[in-house]
Amino acid sequence: MRTSVVVALSVGTVATGLLAYAIYFDHRRRNDPNFRKALRREHRRQAKAAKEEAEAQGALQREAIKAAMAEAKEEGFPTDAEEKETFFMSEVSRGEQLCQEGPESAVEAALCFYKALKVYPQPRSLISIYDNTVPKPILDILAEMIASDPSIPVGLGDGPPSDSGAAGVE
């Protein structure tokens, strides 16, 4: 026999075997209640493991955020107007560069934007600019940082609270 015939027969045999297995699996899934229960249990177990992994990652990220903020506060922020401007520009450009590097440097990028926000004279306007320019994962981390720092005013206005029921946070 020719090689091409042998290869074609082998491929046909493997494809037939896979099709037969798929039909058998589907038949078992539809008709065997114990098999269905086992499949559901396995699916729930995998979903639970994925949920626990996501919670663990979230906890690690929150710890990284707290550590980064503590380090930033320890370093301090400039007080002179020109130093603030220079610091702001360098942190924003560094944050933008870190955004380009990908998700592994998301906390560092958010920390740079947070530091720039701390020295900016109008934090609310900068937050609205961040909303339009910073990628969502980094913006979420930045929002956590802002929420944990009461020294950054993020309310909608300085006037009396409104009766609309809005929380007053951008």
Side-chain angles (χ1 to χ4, degrees):
M1 281 207 274
R2 295 177 127 181
T3 307
S4 61
V5 173
V6 172
V7 169
L9 285 174
S10 299
V11 168
T13 304
V14 169
T16 304
L18 288 174
L19 181 64
Y21 179 73
I23 291 170
Y24 167 75
F25 179 80
D26 186 55
H27 176 73
R28 254 189 99 187
R29 182 184 58 86
R30 290 175 188 245
N31 297 321
D32 187 357
N34 292 330
F35 188 70
R36 283 196 309 262
K37 286 179 186 175
L39 282 176
R40 273 189 242 122
R41 262 193 310 267
E42 182 65 22
H43 179 69
R44 273 185 253 148
R45 186 187 65 76
Q46 288 177 353
K48 183 180 177 183
K51 181 180 175 185
E52 289 173 354
E53 176 68 25
E55 288 174 357
Q57 288 287 45
L60 285 173
Q61 186 174 21
R62 282 189 293 280
E63 289 301 318
I65 290 170
K66 286 180 185 177
M69 287 183 63
E71 180 183 322
K73 287 179 182 177
E74 190 176 295
E75 289 175 7
F77 298 98
T79 54
D80 180 45
E82 285 191 23
E83 289 176 359
K84 281 184 178 183
E85 184 178 343
T86 305
F87 183 77
F88 172 79
M89 294 305 289
S90 68
E91 289 300 317
V92 168
S93 65
R94 190 167 149 239
E96 289 172 350
Q97 289 173 349
L98 289 170
C99 283
Q100 302 300 322
E101 290 181 12
E104 63 275 353
S105 59
V107 174
E108 292 176 52
L111 181 64
C112 290
F113 291 125
Y114 168 77
K115 288 178 178 180
L117 184 67
K118 286 287 282 185
V119 299
Y120 198 72
Q122 299 169 343
R124 290 183 201 127
S125 63
L126 186 58
I127 289 172
S128 66
I129 293 169
Y130 284 165
D131 283 338
N132 296 326
T133 58
V134 176
K136 177 132 177 58
I138 295 173
L139 192 62
D140 292 340
I141 296 169
L142 181 61
E144 281 187 49
M145 291 177 169
I146 293 170
S148 66
D149 188 352
S151 69
I152 299 176
V154 291
L156 290 174
D158 295 328
S162 67
D163 295 332
S164 66
V169 177
E170 292 183 341

